Amino acid sequence: MTPGSVTELKALLIGMKPALCERIWAFLALSEKGLIPDTAFAVIREDEGLCAILPAPAAPEDAPQFARITLQVHSDLEAVGLTAAVATALATSGIACNVIAGLHHDHLFVPWDRREEALKLLEKLSLDARR
């Protein structure tokens, strides 16, 4: 358990305080190993090669656009249920969600054109957990 992190699902949901980043993000394959842009939010090494999450100005115009919503709660890496609860809430409304877990927070990437709707659903999920 990371010091100061939260593991209990209800506490995670109540304290998630989703925050919408105003940048547009894209998932892209990097063609050359070793060339990771400084602007990358994350880089994932897959069997097929490197994938990076980059801000839109660094991505091709035709790349699918995503919004990043950061859950402000300091979620423990061993906490159970937060990803499932968030994904279920979004899936119920037909919103795709790609989750990246950091050491302190979870970051959700949702379609750019559904970002406000996703944010409201997450805020409602947090409110409902208080009851």
Side-chain angles (χ1 to χ4, degrees):
M1 187 161 142
T2 307
S5 63
V6 179
T7 58
E8 200 270 320
L9 180 57
K10 184 171 182 170
L12 288 164
L13 293 171
I14 289 171
M16 65 181 182
K17 298 180 191 114
L20 178 63
C21 173
E22 293 302 320
R23 294 182 98 166
I24 299 171
W25 297 89
F27 287 69
L28 296 168
L30 297 180
S31 59
E32 295 182 39
K33 292 182 179 182
L35 295 178
I36 299 172
D38 290 339
T39 58
F41 176 78
V43 176
I44 299 106
R45 294 184 190 279
E46 299 180 288
D47 290 343
E48 298 82 359
L50 291 177
C51 168
I53 303 172
L54 300 172
E61 288 181 27
D62 62 344
Q65 298 181 336
F66 293 90
R68 186 183 84 212
I69 298 174
T70 298
L71 304 182
Q72 298 298 307
V73 67
H74 184 170
S75 55
D76 192 271
L77 290 172
E78 294 183 20
V80 176
L82 179 61
T83 301
V86 166
T88 298
L90 296 172
T92 300
S93 292
I95 299 175
C97 177
N98 296 282
V99 181
I100 302 290
L103 181 59
H104 301 289
H105 304 287
D106 293 291
H107 308 276
L108 315 176
F109 289 85
V110 299
W112 178 256
D113 60 346
R114 304 215 43 206
R115 66 192 182 281
E116 295 293 340
E117 181 184 359
L119 183 63
K120 286 182 176 138
L121 286 168
L122 295 170
E123 290 170 341
K124 181 182 182 319
L125 179 63
S126 183
L127 252 144
D128 288 350
R130 296 175 195 274
R131 299 182 183 142

